[in-house]
Amino acid sequence: DGGITQSPKYLFRKEGQNVTLSCEQNLNHDAMYWYRQDPGQGLRLIYYSQIVNDFQKGDIAEGYSVSREKKESFPLTVTSAQKNPTAFYLCASTHPRTGGSGELFFGEGSRLTVL
Amino acid sequence: AQSVTQLDSQVPVFEEAPVELRCNYSSSVSVYLFWYVQYPNQGLQLLLKYLSGSTLVESINGFEAEFNKSQTSFHLRKPSVHISDTAEYFCAVTPSNTGGFKTIFGAGTRLFVKA
């Protein structure tokens, strides 16, 4: 079945450590996104990528980095510079035909807890 | 700047009762409108969307939403809820001049259906 796979589902890290969240899709979608979800705040855009080797900052990019070396993959690194990294992270993509409307397909999410 | 307001953070309701989850938005350009549903520790799933045409849109599981341009609202309704409808619901808006890349989410409404 086609879809978006995020891993790991749960992750714990110590302060000062970088961590990379994986996002892989087999939907043949061009555009991919990373969102951060905090209780009571909805979703906020971290980074998005329209095509391979191109990505743009979203509203809360500070302390995060991404790469897009393959169409299928869009990993997110949470760096030690991110002051409050504990959150639920969601990867998403848009279909080429409906992407202009912003209709999003989501992965299952990764919950990061900083100890 | 665009914004999305979900007027209720939590809505408790008895099974088989009707429910309305309210969503208002602010935008200087035309928008595409969405409702997503999220079950615990999962990603978001598209529930329904308004892109153009009829202002009343329906989902396959009995939800409906009506786009009201004059009141800039997109409220979600269901005439009779089930226990399985317990979830968090997000209203989202994509301004039509952003190529689909700048979807804005509301803070979410947690629907709790009681037996």
Side-chain angles (χ1 to χ4, degrees):
Chain A
D1 287 336
I4 299 175
T5 301
Q6 292 187 238
S7 62
K9 190 164 179 65
Y10 299 96
L11 185 61
F12 298 88
R13 79 153 213 220
K14 295 180 180 179
E15 281 191 28
Q17 290 180 335
N18 292 355
V19 62
T20 297
L21 308 180
S22 170
C23 177
E24 302 279 332
Q25 55 103 354
N26 61 3
L27 300 167
N28 201 31
H29 289 178
D30 290 314
M32 298 185 72
Y33 304 75
W34 275 105
Y35 286 91
R36 171 180 171 140
Q37 183 180 11
D38 296 282
Q41 294 192 46
L43 278 68
R44 293 180 289 168
L45 182 63
I46 304 173
Y47 269 97
Y48 66 97
S49 168
Q50 299 181 48
I51 55 172
V52 173
N53 292 324
D54 180 73
F55 46 84
Q56 308 294 329
K57 292 182 179 180
D59 301 316
I60 57 165
E62 185 175 351
Y64 299 97
S65 66
V66 293
S67 63
R68 188 84 186 278
E69 297 177 1
K70 299 186 301 181
K71 185 176 183 177
E72 302 79 16
S73 179
F74 191 40
L76 173 74
T77 296
V78 185
T79 76
S80 56
Q82 168 51 232
K83 295 190 183 343
N84 185 18
T86 294
F88 191 54
Y89 291 89
L90 288 157
C91 180
S93 66
T94 52
H95 190 285
R97 277 192 290 107
T98 60
S101 70
E103 179 181 337
L104 292 156
F105 294 79
F106 285 90
E108 293 287 288
S110 292
R111 187 169 297 281
L112 172 63
T113 303
V114 175
L115 304 173
Chain B
Q2 291 84 5
S3 65
V4 179
T5 303
Q6 292 185 241
L7 294 147
D8 306 292
S9 59
Q10 297 185 66
V11 174
V13 64
F14 284 103
E15 193 174 19
E16 297 183 5
V19 70
E20 178 179 79
L21 307 184
R22 297 177 293 167
C23 174
N24 287 93
Y25 69 91
S26 171
S27 177
S28 56
V29 300
S30 60
V31 295
Y32 305 113
L33 297 151
F34 305 87
W35 277 99
Y36 290 89
V37 59
Q38 183 181 37
Y39 299 100
N41 290 312
Q42 293 187 24
L44 278 68
Q45 305 170 33
L46 180 68
L47 188 60
L48 45 75
K49 61 186 177 185
Y50 171 79
L51 304 182
S52 65
S54 173
T55 58
L56 182 66
V57 291
E58 299 177 353
S59 73
I60 58 173
N61 57 352
F63 283 94
E64 65 178 32
E66 186 158 21
F67 169 49
N68 187 319
K69 187 175 182 179
S70 62
Q71 297 189 9
T72 60
S73 67
F74 191 54
H75 301 332
L76 181 69
R77 303 184 183 95
K78 189 171 185 179
S80 176
V81 294
H82 303 291
I83 298 286
S84 59
D85 292 324
T86 295
E88 189 154 22
Y89 293 80
F90 290 93
C91 181
V93 167
T94 306
S96 61
N97 63 349
T98 62
F101 296 111
K102 294 295 179 72
T103 298
I104 305 155
F105 287 83
T109 297
R110 193 171 298 274
L111 175 64
F112 179 59
V113 182
K114 300 178 285 186

